[in-house]
Amino acid sequence: MAMEELAAIKKLDFNMCMQCGKCTGSCPVSPKSKLNPRRFMLETAYLISPLTMHPPLNIQEKGELWDCTTCSTCSYRCPREVKPMDVLIGLRSLLVEAGNVPSTLGDALEGVYKYGNPWGLSRSKRQEWTQDLKVKYASEEEKIDLLYFVGCAASYDSRAQVVARAIVKNLNALSIDFSILGNKETCCGNEIISLGEKGLFEEIAGNNLALFDRYGVQKIVTTSPHCFHAFKSRYGRELAVKHYTQYFADLIDEEKIRFSGKIGKVVTYQDPCFLGKHNDIYDEPRKIIESIPGLRFEELGRSGKRSVCCEGGGGRMWYDIPGERLAEDRVREALDVGAEIIVVACPFCLLTFDDAIKTSGNEERIQVKDIMELVAETL
Amino acid sequence: MEIIVCVKHVPETAEAEIAIDSSGKGIKTEDLVFDINEWDDYAVEEAVLIKEKLGGRVTIVTVGSEDADKTLRKCLAKGADRAIRLTDKAFDGSDAYATAKILYGVIKDLPFDLILTGTQAGDDGYAQVGVILAGFLGIPHATMVKKIELMEGFTRVNRELEGGLEQVMEVGTPALLAVQTGINEPRYVSIMGIRKARQKELKVLGLNDLGLKEEEVGESGSWITVEEMFIPPVEKEAEILVGGLDAISSKIVETLRARGLI
Amino acid sequence: MTELFVLAEHRRGELRDVTFEMLTKGRELIARADVDLTAVLLGHNVKELAIRLADQVKKVLVVDDARLKDFNEVAYQKVLTHLISERKPVLILIGHTSFGIDLAPSLATKLNVPLATDCIDINFEEKKPIVVRQVYGGKVNIKASLRTSESYIVTLRPATIEAKEVKPIGGEIIEVASPLKEEPTTKRFIEYFEPPAGEVDITAADVLVSVGRGIKDADSMPIVEKLAEALGGAVACSRPIVDKGWLSADRQVGTSGKTVKPKLYLAVGISGAFQHVSGMKNSELVIAINRDAKAPIFRAADFGVVEDLFKVVPILTDRVLQEKKSSK
Ligand SMILES: Cc1cc2nc3c(=O)[nH]c(=O)nc-3n(C[C@H](O)[C@H](O)[C@H](O)COP(=O)(O)OP(=O)(O)OC[C@H]3O[C@@H](n4cnc5c(N)ncnc54)[C@H](O)[C@@H]3O)c2cc1C
């Protein structure tokens, strides 16, 4: 093993691991993948211990590292506060630095580097979703008090664009002054760091911070929990950032939102990993949902802290593994509680559920909608 | 093994809007993203794979402005050992012939067992530089190469022909091989890797260093002069179906039924 | 009288289509000038090919030599250098094919004759050739002139000019002694290699659903497979799909793949690079799905859908299945 790899491994934190196996036991993808966090904790530890294991771990052969969705259940469940997810991401870095990356993930990384989005789509098309909407674009003339950070999925994916449009409509309906970065917006980098591409992440984070400074951004609200998490915890600077669920829950508390419509449906809610498990945000989305008139809210069998990942994170939007997607199982769970709408608060959940509803043949029975769509329908 | 790879830094245009610039002889490039020419990426990968197997040194050569350093650094990060950029005001307007002369200017004095290039560049698509360069150097070449086997004193290559057929040729070495896409799978290079590659040698040379005269390069040293650039006239335009996914699907199904295809 | 050479291209005993396309262009060019059109045929035991060419052109120069049996740039270059130096043709047309790409630049360098490659059109203006070429993947054209010279070499892109045959004219066949002295040693033809054929012959299918890089991911392939199945057709593809190893090479449509003429060609996430289009443009009905409204594929299609393929294809598949069920 190269010295650099060893040095990188030494920086990872797994000393407290007692091999209890809670991580693997709770990992949602381990049943269908070779991914075994507990084993990685053990085998990685051996690499820097005086004892050796036969055969020693050869990270470059461990393609299953790409299967992790970075849902963080393993870290969350660990009784000794070890963070297996961070170790897995650290090991991914070793694959990235060796150029040992599945081609679709390489394309996603290149796409972010060259075009500022993982789909490698043209920058000039980033703000096309705004079409006829009333939005203010960042300009040198005016400092931005509130920045709405749209994110890549909501900028480019036609289904997720509906959410961005709903957010803009909602903010406008409430006469809230905000701006967007338009074509200057660039990927937040959350998936990039999750894929272990540290250098690219640093570059993006630096550029984004410079952009925020240039426009005097005071507060940020995001569509995606992934962007929210990156800004909140991964940029190494304190930013006044809120996920839109927090922002709108506050507005409800302040009694600034008055609903005029009604949704006469049974709905359930999928906790996005990057709101729930990563950031303990469970109440705010529920507050918004439950304040919408007419609907009946049913919790999923496994919800809140026990919620199960949709399988859209950690780069898995660009990399698939064989077997049924977790979201399909969640669709059945939603049907079990009698839901007609699965409500989500993350563009990746939206897209994975949209797909899972189709592949499981349940289009007639259930829909997926973002909280902001429901709000837009009832404001 | 001493391997030289010639690469080009080109704008990516597959998804971009293209506009003609004010000279009428070029396109506006301000909003375009530049990267290594797709074919050259395969050539660099092939060189690095050979080096990883047999040892040796990979030298990257390009003709281009400072911006092309990005592509050179990427090649160095992929595993090349050193890079040379040839740049001079006098080189502007060079066609494939003049470009080959510029490359020849430096390569004639370098040691090599093998020279790799892409079969063509995605921007001007001449598919000439490699072969002309081989002609100047007096070495044999093969283009459209899909497979390379190195033997003692020669290389056995598969050349791609039309219709999915290949032609197996034996070419004496040193040789120049212009590779076709798909010959390998180019690796990802990390930003950290690109940063580290800054430590590797990157030399910049100009007209005088190469012992070339001004009239030998640029437009005056070229075979071809671009007189005019234009967006091609639309010969046939598809009828674009509109009205939402359902309406579009229905329209297609109707059309297929009318033609007895369903 | 000066001549215009057309280099006949042949492989495994058959003349390639590009030869007749070049002859068509050549005829058009000499109609306005005092120039003879001459086909140049290099090969071994090519009598039949020479006769076939003489039907279409007044003069056929034949060099018969065992070393010219299969295409070898070194041997071709030597013979052509000799012929061109002797006869000083004003223009040499060569196909922009795998053979032409290997040969033309080497010949031009040897003779120091200006060369324009991959041209889609050529005209003479004041005795100088003016060519039209496509650049930037077909999004832009250039008009270019060549440096003044006694002779010029131009390679023509295959399948851009429609070959027109004239009534057999029984032209003259002139045998020229081979100038080759020794066996070419720096380059040897070994054999043809046919990549193993898969189960499906896309050239025989009536309906092709052809998938391009827009599909992004190997795991998304089933969505096009389902559509092909619903339509009772086969799945074909553009080249990047083969490069990535997602489909075998025999599914590739285009200049380096197969030429197809199905009743329906449905292009999904294909930009329409000419190398692709030339392999499918004679399809009876072409429908293209691409989210870039400016993609060149729409110029080769009868109907276009400017949408995300991941949205359209599943819906279209359902609709087709419904239609089939209801018409039963
Ligand atoms: C000598 C030579 C021979 C060649 N031979 C062939 C050949 O035989 N056959 C061949 O095909 N190519 C061939 N090529 C390659 C050719 O030049 C092109 O690079 C190739 O055809 C491009 O393939 P593509 O259209 O699939 O990919 P791209 O050009 O990358 O196009 C992808 C398209 O998909 C669209 N798209 C992306 N995402 C979506 C979405 N979600 N929904 C809808 N649309 C989407 C994009 O807008 C884009 O237009 C050859 C090249 C050379 C030099």
Side-chain angles (χ1 to χ4, degrees):
Chain A
M1 167 160 311
M3 292 303 292
E4 290 173 16
E5 276 193 17
L6 268 184
I9 288 172
K10 280 191 183 141
K11 286 196 200 136
L12 303 176
D13 176 21
F14 41 74
N15 289 329
M16 294 292 287
C17 173
M18 59 180 184
Q19 289 289 302
C20 71
K22 276 217 159 139
C23 45
T24 301
S26 63
C27 171
V29 291
S30 72
K32 63 170 181 175
S33 149
K34 283 201 290 184
L35 184 68
N36 183 338
R38 180 195 60 78
R39 237 190 127 71
F40 272 113
M41 298 302 284
L42 178 71
E43 296 186 332
T44 313
Y46 266 113
L47 288 178
I48 54 167
S49 107
L51 303 169
T52 48
M53 203 172 73
H54 290 286
L57 171 65
N58 180 353
I59 294 157
Q60 300 302 334
E61 283 173 359
K62 296 289 171 183
E64 67 261 34
L65 280 167
W66 302 114
D67 297 357
C68 170
T69 68
T70 65
C71 71
S72 90
T73 308
C74 52
S75 304
Y76 192 79
R77 295 281 173 85
C78 177
R80 302 188 71 166
E81 291 183 20
V82 180
K83 298 205 156 35
M85 186 194 85
D86 292 352
V87 172
L88 295 182
I89 291 176
L91 295 177
R92 280 182 171 183
S93 287
L94 302 179
L95 298 185
V96 169
E97 294 314 323
N100 186 1
V101 180
S103 65
T104 50
L105 291 178
D107 290 346
L109 295 171
E110 289 247 355
V112 170
Y113 180 56
K114 294 197 281 197
Y115 297 94
N117 70 84
W119 290 280
L121 293 170
S122 159
R123 200 172 257 293
S124 62
K125 294 185 180 144
R126 191 166 182 116
Q127 65 188 38
E128 265 178 14
W129 64 273
T130 57
Q131 284 175 28
D132 44 349
L133 289 176
K134 189 184 134 222
V135 285
K136 209 157 71 180
Y137 298 100
S139 83
E140 314 280 352
E141 276 95 72
E142 193 186 346
K143 283 203 183 312
I144 298 180
D145 180 53
L146 178 65
L147 172 72
Y148 167 38
F149 190 91
V150 186
C152 300
S155 293
Y156 289 107
D157 184 278
S158 57
R159 176 65 186 92
Q161 281 171 352
V162 178
V163 180
R165 293 176 63 82
I167 291 182
V168 167
K169 279 187 208 149
N170 295 339
L171 291 171
N172 283 339
L174 300 167
S175 308
I176 293 167
D177 183 47
F178 70 97
S179 300
I180 65 170
L181 292 169
N183 290 342
K184 296 193 197 81
E185 190 183 279
T186 288
C187 175
C188 67
N190 196 60
E191 303 313 285
I192 305 310
I193 187 79
S194 299
L195 283 169
E197 215 326 359
K198 284 192 202 142
L200 181 55
F201 176 75
E202 280 166 22
E203 194 156 312
I204 297 173
N207 292 344
N208 276 336
L209 287 172
L211 205 61
F212 297 160
D213 289 344
R214 183 165 142 208
Y215 294 113
V217 172
Q218 298 296 313
K219 290 176 285 180
I220 305 170
V221 60
T222 71
T223 319
S224 171
H226 294 252
C227 308
F228 164 70
H229 183 73
F231 296 149
K232 179 166 171 274
S233 309
R234 289 174 155 169
Y235 269 43
R237 191 208 279 185
E238 200 146 320
L239 291 168
V241 57
K242 282 187 176 157
H243 181 250
Y244 78 73
T245 50
Q246 298 174 294
Y247 190 83
F248 279 81
D250 287 351
L251 292 173
I252 288 174
D253 284 342
E254 295 161 19
E255 295 182 3
K256 289 208 177 114
I257 297 187
R258 208 139 292 160
F259 293 98
S260 56
K262 225 180 161 150
I263 291 186
K265 294 252 163 101
V266 185
V267 309
T268 189
Y269 172 66
Q270 160 79 6
D271 283 283
C273 301
F274 278 88
L275 275 193
K277 286 189 266 295
H278 280 272
N279 288 299
D280 267 325
I281 299 171
Y282 298 106
D283 300 338
E284 292 88 335
R286 288 176 171 76
K287 172 175 281 170
I288 308 175
I289 295 169
E290 287 178 314
S291 67
I292 296 172
L295 55 72
R296 199 174 92 223
F297 178 62
E298 291 288 343
E299 286 285 2
L300 284 168
R302 294 171 292 175
S303 71
K305 296 178 167 39
R306 292 181 56 242
S307 181
V308 182
C309 175
C310 74
E311 227 176 318
R316 294 289 307 283
M317 289 301 289
W318 308 278
Y319 181 70
D320 213 352
I321 61 174
E324 192 188 76
R325 280 234 166 199
L326 295 171
E328 286 184 50
D329 200 30
R330 295 294 273 172
V331 170
R332 279 191 295 272
E333 245 180 82
L335 288 167
D336 285 347
V337 301
E340 295 159 281
I341 301 176
I342 303 171
V343 181
V344 296
C346 168
F348 289 173
C349 296
L350 181 72
L351 300 177
T352 52
F353 275 96
D354 201 53
D355 190 55
I357 289 172
K358 284 183 201 141
T359 47
S360 63
N362 284 306
E363 286 149 289
E364 311 290 318
R365 302 170 66 192
I366 199 160
Q367 289 176 283
V368 57
K369 284 198 174 175
D370 190 275
I371 296 180
M372 283 293 107
E373 291 180 77
L374 298 185
V375 170
E377 286 168 29
T378 46
L379 258 188
Chain B
M1 261 304 212
E2 280 279 358
I3 308 174
I4 295 173
V5 189
C6 305
V7 304
K8 186 174 184 184
H9 188 60
V10 298
E12 296 195 339
T13 51
E15 296 222 17
E17 301 260 337
I18 304 291
I20 308 294
D21 69 11
S22 56
S23 76
K25 295 179 182 184
I27 59 166
K28 290 189 184 149
T29 53
E30 301 89 71
D31 292 332
L32 297 177
V33 171
F34 281 68
D35 198 356
I36 184 169
N37 171 40
E38 187 179 350
W39 282 264
D40 302 344
D41 200 18
Y42 288 90
V44 173
E45 180 68 28
E46 196 64 19
V48 173
L49 288 173
I50 294 172
K51 180 184 113 170
E52 283 170 354
K53 210 161 105 197
L54 304 175
R57 176 165 66 167
V58 176
T59 304
I60 309 289
V61 186
T62 194
V63 179
S65 64
E66 197 176 339
D67 199 40
D69 284 352
K70 279 201 203 120
T71 280
L72 293 178
R73 292 247 154 70
K74 195 168 177 181
C75 297
L76 292 171
K78 277 175 191 278
D81 300 278
R82 56 174 186 159
I84 302 172
R85 178 162 61 81
L86 309 173
T87 193
D88 205 296
K89 264 228 102 14
F91 297 166
D92 290 356
S94 294
D95 70 350
Y97 181 60
T99 303
K101 275 191 268 183
I102 300 167
L103 290 168
Y104 173 65
V106 64
I107 293 175
K108 67 181 186 327
D109 300 322
L110 296 176
F112 63 84
D113 300 297
L114 195 62
I115 300 179
L116 298 180
T117 68
T119 281
Q120 66 174 39
D123 54 355
D124 54 26
Y126 283 124
Q128 297 183 16
V129 173
V131 179
I132 298 173
L133 174 61
F136 288 151
L137 289 164
I139 58 171
H141 70 264
T143 54
M144 311 271 294
V145 172
K146 292 221 73 172
K147 187 171 160 203
I148 301 175
E149 281 173 277
L150 292 166
M151 319 280 201
E152 199 51 47
F154 68 94
T155 165
R156 183 188 284 245
V157 300
N158 284 29
R159 296 190 63 237
E160 178 180 298
L161 306 182
E162 291 76 19
L165 195 67
E166 290 173 16
Q167 178 191 37
V168 183
M169 302 290 292
E170 282 179 3
V171 185
T173 42
L176 182 143
L177 305 178
V179 307
Q180 176 61 311
T181 55
I183 186 172
N184 52 44
E185 200 180 300
R187 67 194 68 188
Y188 177 75
V189 284
S190 73
I191 302 305
M192 217 98 91
I194 294 175
R195 268 189 228 146
K196 276 193 207 131
R198 284 183 183 280
Q199 288 155 13
K200 292 190 180 174
E201 178 187 333
L202 195 165
K203 209 162 37 182
V204 180
L205 301 174
L207 189 72
N208 295 332
D209 305 302
L210 305 182
L212 285 166
K213 289 194 213 81
E214 213 167 313
E215 60 273 17
E216 289 176 304
V217 295
E219 227 167 78
S220 53
S222 290
W223 279 337
I224 282 201
T225 309
V226 176
E227 303 289 349
E228 186 194 347
M229 195 173 268
F230 56 100
I231 305 290
V234 182
E235 282 159 20
K236 169 185 162 188
E237 196 69 74
E239 177 187 340
I240 301 294
L241 303 176
V242 290
L245 297 178
D246 285 327
I248 289 171
S249 300
S250 302
K251 177 85 211 295
I252 294 178
V253 169
E254 242 167 66
T255 310
L256 300 185
R257 195 184 43 206
R259 295 186 176 229
L261 289 164
I262 302 187
Chain C
M1 184 157 21
T2 167
E3 290 171 295
L4 189 163
F5 275 9
V6 166
L7 177 66
E9 180 166 329
H10 59 94
R11 189 165 91 196
R12 292 177 142 176
E14 274 182 48
L15 287 165
R16 309 281 302 165
D17 291 348
V18 69
T19 309
F20 298 98
E21 293 159 17
M22 291 189 288
L23 285 174
T24 304
K25 191 75 216 175
R27 248 178 250 128
E28 194 184 296
L29 287 170
I30 60 159
R32 278 168 272 148
D34 199 13
V35 176
D36 268 354
L37 183 61
T38 303
V40 177
L41 176 64
L42 315 186
H44 186 48
N45 296 331
V46 284
K47 188 134 238 159
E48 270 175 47
L49 303 188
I51 293 170
R52 170 88 177 86
L53 285 169
D55 270 352
Q56 294 296 310
V57 60
K58 275 206 263 172
K59 221 181 325 171
V60 184
L61 295 183
V62 182
V63 180
D64 189 306
D65 188 315
R67 290 162 288 197
L68 296 170
K69 180 170 173 290
D70 295 292
F71 175 79
N72 180 335
E73 170 268 332
V74 171
Y76 262 60
Q77 195 250 81
K78 286 212 171 108
V79 175
L80 286 170
T81 302
H82 172 80
L83 287 180
I84 293 166
S85 309
E86 293 268 294
R87 304 178 72 106
K88 307 237 184 305
V90 61
L91 177 69
I92 301 104
L93 287 180
I94 298 175
H96 191 73
T97 58
S98 187
F99 292 163
I101 288 173
D102 224 40
L103 170 67
S106 127
L107 184 63
T109 314
K110 183 83 192 169
L111 293 162
N112 194 12
V113 164
L115 162 73
T117 43
D118 196 18
C119 300
I120 58 171
D121 201 6
I122 167 170
N123 276 300
F124 271 85
E125 284 174 21
E126 290 161 22
K127 301 213 163 146
K128 259 173 70 162
I130 299 285
V131 298
V132 180
R133 311 179 63 246
Q134 286 189 349
V135 291
Y136 298 109
K139 288 197 166 177
V140 182
N141 281 4
I142 58 170
K143 208 177 230 188
S145 59
L146 282 83
R147 191 174 78 192
T148 308
S149 162
E150 204 173 6
S151 302
Y152 302 94
I153 304 176
V154 167
T155 69
L156 273 189
R157 176 182 292 183
T160 41
I161 290 150
E162 199 185 334
K164 291 194 198 96
E165 301 233 350
V166 293
K167 269 191 222 125
I169 52 176
E172 182 189 6
I173 297 175
I174 305 165
E175 305 227 5
V176 180
S178 171
L180 289 180
K181 304 221 164 53
E182 64 268 358
E183 197 75 36
T185 50
T186 53
K187 207 182 270 186
R188 294 200 308 138
F189 172 88
I190 304 300
E191 62 181 353
Y192 287 111
F193 171 74
E194 204 135 8
E199 336 82 75
V200 188
D201 180 3
I202 57 167
T203 59
D206 274 345
V207 173
L208 286 177
V209 176
S210 194
V211 53
R213 181 141 55 190
I215 196 81
K216 292 267 149 64
D217 193 336
D219 300 311
S220 304
M221 294 294 284
I223 75 162
V224 282
E225 281 158 11
K226 279 186 202 145
L227 178 58
E229 200 188 304
L231 287 165
V235 176
C237 64
S238 68
R239 181 198 176 91
I241 302 297
V242 173
D243 289 347
K244 286 182 194 281
W246 298 347
L247 284 176
S248 56
D250 57 350
R251 303 278 185 128
Q252 183 182 320
V253 171
T255 53
S256 54
K258 300 268 165 70
T259 301
V260 297
K261 288 180 193 169
K263 296 206 170 89
L264 167 65
Y265 191 86
L266 224 153
V268 182
I270 291 176
S271 63
F274 83 89
Q275 288 104 336
H276 185 82
V277 169
S278 59
M280 49 63 74
K281 66 179 181 199
N282 293 326
S283 307
E284 284 175 32
L285 175 68
V286 177
I287 302 177
I289 301 174
N290 192 308
R291 77 179 158 205
D292 176 6
K294 301 256 170 71
I297 190 73
F298 290 124
R299 281 187 247 135
D302 301 288
F303 294 100
V305 179
V306 183
E307 268 289 351
D308 186 346
L309 71 92
F310 295 100
K311 304 269 145 83
V312 191
V313 175
I315 294 179
L316 181 59
T317 308
D318 284 351
R319 215 31 82 75
V320 171
L321 289 172
Q322 270 170 25
E323 175 69 23
K324 280 168 85 175
K325 225 188 269 164
S326 62
S327 60
K328 240 177 221 160

